[in-house]
Structure formats: structure tokens, C-alpha cells
Amino acid sequence: MKYLTLILLCFWSTFTVQAQEQENLSLSDAIQIGLANNFDIQIEELNVEVAKNNNNWGAAGRWPTISLSLSQNNNFRDVENPAGFLQGLTISNDITPGINVNWVLFSGFAINIRREQLQQLENFTRGNAQVVVENSVQAIINQYYLTQLERERLDALETVFLLSKDRYEYIRLKGELGSAVTFDILQEQNAFLTDSSNLVTQEINFLNTRRTLNLLMGKDVTLTYDLTDSLAVESTAYELDDLYDRMISSNRNLQNQYINLEIARSDTRLAKTELYPQLSFNAGSGYTWQRQDISNARFAFPDPDRPQVVGGRTLSYAAGFTLNYLLFDGGRVRQAIENAYTQERIGQVQIEQQKLTLRNNLLATYDLYNVRKKLLSISEENIRAAQLNLDLSEERFRNGTINSFDYRQIQVNYLNTALTNIQAKYDLIESETELLRLTGGILSEYENIN
């Protein structure tokens, strides 16, 4: 047992020295690091870059398309026809470069509508990125305080562990002096081992939550630091109507639904452009150089002065306008327009659904926040009483006023009360963070966050 005590004390002293050497990390620092390094945020920033790059008049179809072409052909022709003018083998080679221009001049305002849609898609992508940022910040806040919660649980378990160790050593010493029976020694040994096991298990819990926080911040999961923002809670008296107004005006998910509705309306306008004629301008130019080898050919009328290789060239230009107007397509365009109108109505229903869902979530979170405020107030009273009872019982136990069973029960009661108090603080912070996210104020709540 002495060896076990020594191992546990060495383990705990190593952890304490390590904690003292850690750098400080405030909640604001954790959020700033997460905004810069969180992988989900980085991915959404790249998606925004893609949407921004796509938002231009070229993608909308405003400008003409100009293409260059080059073709080269080789033709071998071997004729054996007594009735023909040219007999034998002839070889022809030609090279034709060219340029073509196609430009849609009018398509029922579809180009302008497509540019509006590209802008809306960029706005929607930015909105999604904002949602990811808000969710990531909320996750960092919750994980930061969860890590602090596990650390404070560790401190509470350490307090009980040290008390158990002192009590066990005290009873063991009394046993050596003959004033304590084996039953009492075994009981204190069992309590000491239980508290030791709980302490070691809690250490693992704390390390795991800290690793998760590092992961959310996009940092090496093995980094260690000392959290400077405690679970101290300053409860705020929120007004439900004010929270609802802020949610309707600032909730990012709801704002994205409005952008979706605008995109659906643009789809309807785009479908209607099929009812208009389309005017296009087309132009092109080509130059053909041709070479023909007739050295192995036979003519019906031989001419000794005829050249063996002949060549030629052709230069051509073309320009014109094309007007297309759809007269009948079996109702495809009308069907597409009706479907687009239906998608608009779906978007409007989704907005109403989103509003109702958000209101339900707000009411549930608001009620939970108020309940947790009351629970925290009760737990604060409990922990003060439990601490006082623990302080008084330690002296009474040494004086023999209370037995080991009662003293152990007081210790367990203190531990449970301390853990409940720590959990109540975290729960209240978590509810307030969710309120801030629902009302779109989670970023503005912290300084230096854009």
C-alpha cells in the first residue's frame, strides 16, 4: 500500500508541475485560434472563394465566345477508270486555320437574371460559411468550458483523495499503535482506493476533453495549456420578446432561407425567358492552303509543260445574325414555369416552417436557461453548506465525535454536491451560448471577433 500511495503521489505531482508550466489560454484566445485554424471554417472559406470566382458576367453569358481552329487533311486518290480524265495516283494536302465568333445579343434578359443568381449564390455560400463559423465558435465555447469543468471535477476529486489519504494514514497509524481494529483499517483502505481510482479516471477524462478542444481549434492535440476563464457565471435577465425580435432579424439559418427564396424567384424569371426570341451574332473567317501532287497521274490529254505539283489558296469571310423563336415544344416551357412557381411556394412554406421551428427552439432554450439559473442558485447554497459540514466533520472525526462511516458519508456528500455545482455552472453557460447562437449574437458577444 505504501508503494501505491507513492505512485499516486508521484503521478499527481507530475501532473501539477506540468500544469504549472503550461501557457495560459483564455476563451477569447481559443476562439481567435479556432477562427484562424478550424478545418470546417477553412473549407467554407474556400467554398466562398469558388462562389466569388463564379460571380462574373462571363459565367452569366454576357460576352461572346471566340475560338480558333486549325485542321490539316491528307487525301490519297488512285483512279483506274478508262472513261476518266485523270488516271493514277494523286496526293492532296491542305491546311485550314480559322476563327469563329458567337455572341448571344438577346435571350429574354436571361443573362442579367443569371448574373443576379450568381450573386445570390455567392451570398448564400457566405451565409453557409457564417453558419459554420457560428457553430464552430459555439463548439469551441462549449468545449472550452467542458474542459474547465473536467478540470474542476479533477480538483474536487483531488480534495477528496487527499482527505482519504490522510484519513487512511491516520487510521493505519492508529492500527500500528493498537488503537484501531482491522475492520476500520480495511474500510479506510477501500475508500482510499476508490478515490484513487476515481482520480485517475478523471485525469483521462480531462485529457480527452482538452484534446477535443485542440482539435476544434485546429491545433496539435497534444498541446497543453492552463485555461484562464473559469466557470464563474453571471446570469443575465433576458426578455423573451427581445430575443425573438433579434432571432428573426439576425438568425443566419433564417437569412439563408430568404436567400433561397430569392434564388427560386430568379429560377421562375429564368424559365420565362424561354418565351422570348433569341438573337445571336455569328462571324467567322478561314484560310485554306492546298497542295496537290500529280507526278504519278496520267491524263487523257498529256501535256509535257504541265507542272508536277500544283497549289492553291482560299480566303473566306462570313458574318450574320440568327433569330430563334420557339413556337411549340409540347408545353415544356409552360411546365418549367409552373414548376418554378411551385418551388417559390415551397420556399415560402420553408421560411414559415423555419420561423416556427426557431421559435420552438428559442422557447425551449429560454425556459431551460431560467431553470438552470435556479438550479445553479440552489447548488451554490448546497456547496457552501457541504463545505462547512466537511470542515467541521474533519475535526469531529479526529476527536472521535463521529465514526468513520459518518465521516465518509459527509465526504461523499461533499463530492457529489461539488460535482453538481460544477455541472450546474456549465449547463447555464451552455444554455446561454445556445441563446446567443439562435439570436445571431454569438460572434458579437466576444471582442475582436468579426
Side-chain angles (χ1 to χ4, degrees):
M1 183 56 64
K2 292 182 179 179
Y3 292 112
L4 175 60
T5 304
L6 181 61
I7 291 172
L8 287 169
L9 289 176
C10 290
F11 163 78
W12 185 248
S13 62
T14 301
F15 172 76
T16 304
V17 171
Q18 180 186 17
Q20 292 173 349
E21 296 175 349
Q22 295 168 359
E23 295 183 0
N24 293 337
L25 180 71
S26 67
L27 177 60
S28 179
D29 291 337
I31 293 174
Q32 292 295 335
I33 294 172
L35 289 175
N37 300 318
N38 182 271
F39 295 110
D40 290 333
I41 293 177
Q42 292 183 56
I43 291 171
E44 288 306 313
E45 287 176 348
L46 294 175
N47 286 334
V48 171
E49 287 298 317
V50 172
K52 182 179 179 181
N53 188 53
N54 289 336
N55 184 15
N56 59 76
W57 284 109
R62 167 61 59 86
W63 311 120
T65 58
I66 302 174
S67 60
L68 293 174
S69 62
L70 178 66
S71 63
Q72 196 276 328
N73 295 302
N74 301 291
N75 184 31
F76 299 87
R77 188 166 180 267
D78 191 1
V79 179
E80 294 294 338
N81 184 2
F85 172 76
L86 181 64
Q87 304 290 320
L89 178 64
T90 59
I91 302 174
S92 300
N93 312 102
D94 67 74
I95 298 176
T96 305
I99 183 171
N100 294 283
V101 178
N102 295 290
W103 194 358
V104 177
L105 300 178
F106 180 77
S107 59
F109 309 104
I111 295 173
N112 292 336
I113 297 173
R114 290 194 193 100
R115 181 58 194 275
E116 291 177 9
Q117 279 192 326
L118 291 173
Q119 181 62 55
Q120 291 163 351
L121 288 172
E122 181 182 345
N123 294 339
F124 183 77
T125 305
R126 291 183 184 277
N128 280 340
Q130 189 78 357
V131 170
V132 171
V133 169
E134 290 180 350
N135 291 340
S136 298
V137 168
Q138 182 184 22
I140 291 172
I141 294 171
N142 288 339
Q143 192 63 34
Y144 182 95
Y145 283 117
L146 181 61
T147 306
Q148 191 66 280
L149 176 146
E150 297 296 348
R151 178 54 199 251
E152 293 194 13
R153 281 178 174 171
L154 195 62
D155 293 340
L157 287 169
E158 180 196 7
T159 299
V160 175
F161 163 76
L162 294 176
L163 290 173
S164 297
K165 181 178 73 68
D166 290 341
R167 191 174 70 253
Y168 171 65
E169 291 177 350
Y170 173 71
I171 291 296
R172 186 165 55 84
L173 180 60
K174 290 181 64 176
E176 293 175 356
L177 297 175
S179 60
V181 298
T182 304
F183 177 80
D184 292 335
I185 297 174
L186 291 176
Q187 182 184 351
E188 296 304 330
Q189 179 183 357
N190 179 262
F192 173 67
L193 292 175
T194 299
D195 293 337
S196 302
S197 175
N198 292 337
L199 185 64
V200 173
T201 302
Q202 182 57 31
E203 163 66 7
I204 296 301
N205 294 338
F206 171 68
L207 294 177
N208 286 336
T209 55
R210 188 173 61 189
R211 292 188 186 107
T212 303
L213 178 59
N214 279 325
L215 181 62
L216 291 173
M217 294 190 300
K219 304 293 288 185
D220 183 357
V221 295
T222 62
L223 291 178
T224 61
Y225 34 76
D226 184 30
L227 304 183
T228 59
D229 287 298
S230 66
L231 284 171
V233 179
E234 294 182 5
S235 58
T236 305
Y238 290 106
E239 293 293 334
L240 183 58
D241 292 339
D242 179 60
L243 290 174
Y244 181 75
D245 292 340
R246 286 159 55 185
M247 182 185 69
I248 294 299
S249 62
S250 302
N251 182 271
R252 192 65 258 179
N253 287 305
L254 184 58
Q255 299 303 313
N256 284 350
Q257 286 291 349
Y258 282 112
I259 296 176
N260 262 334
L261 179 58
E262 290 303 316
I263 294 175
R265 288 170 177 168
S266 297
D267 286 335
T268 302
R269 292 164 56 202
L270 192 62
K272 290 181 179 179
T273 61
E274 295 284 345
L275 300 175
Y276 292 89
Q278 178 173 302
L279 179 63
S280 302
F281 172 74
N282 307 286
S285 177
Y287 180 87
T288 302
W289 176 83
Q290 189 176 42
R291 172 184 177 276
Q292 190 171 31
D293 184 352
I294 57 175
S295 58
N296 295 317
R298 302 186 303 278
F299 291 85
F301 303 98
D303 183 356
D305 297 328
R306 181 180 288 113
Q308 299 300 303
V309 178
V310 296
R313 61 179 184 175
T314 303
L315 179 63
S316 61
Y317 302 92
F321 295 90
T322 302
L323 181 66
N324 289 320
Y325 185 72
L326 183 64
L327 296 178
F328 180 73
D329 67 345
R332 179 188 61 84
V333 172
R334 295 293 180 184
Q335 182 182 6
I337 294 173
E338 288 299 322
N339 289 340
Y341 273 125
T342 302
Q343 291 299 322
E344 276 191 53
R345 292 195 293 271
I346 291 175
Q348 293 170 344
V349 172
Q350 287 175 337
I351 287 177
E352 295 305 316
Q353 181 187 32
Q354 184 78 355
K355 285 182 179 180
L356 189 59
T357 300
L358 287 173
R359 180 170 176 79
N360 178 68
N361 293 341
L362 179 63
L363 287 171
T365 307
Y366 178 77
D367 290 340
L368 183 61
Y369 174 78
N370 289 325
V371 168
R372 285 177 171 177
K373 278 203 306 184
K374 296 176 182 178
L375 291 176
L376 177 60
S377 178
I378 295 172
S379 70
E380 293 288 350
E381 292 293 331
N382 260 344
I383 191 62
R384 283 192 288 268
Q387 181 66 59
L388 179 60
N389 193 25
L390 181 66
D391 295 338
L392 295 175
S393 63
E394 182 176 3
E395 185 65 26
R396 295 177 67 187
F397 172 72
R398 292 187 179 276
N399 294 334
T401 308
I402 61 174
N403 58 36
S404 60
F405 290 100
D406 293 334
Y407 185 49
R408 178 59 180 173
Q409 185 60 41
I410 292 172
Q411 278 189 325
V412 172
N413 179 66
Y414 167 78
L415 177 61
N416 292 335
T417 304
L419 296 180
T420 300
N421 178 251
I422 296 169
Q423 186 68 48
K425 292 178 181 179
Y426 173 78
D427 290 343
L428 185 61
I429 292 174
E430 184 184 42
S431 296
E432 185 173 34
T433 304
E434 178 64 10
L435 278 178
L436 292 173
R437 187 195 67 81
L438 285 171
T439 56
I442 192 169
L443 300 183
S444 59
E445 186 70 15
Y446 299 91
E447 295 180 358
N448 303 322
I449 299 179
N450 297 322

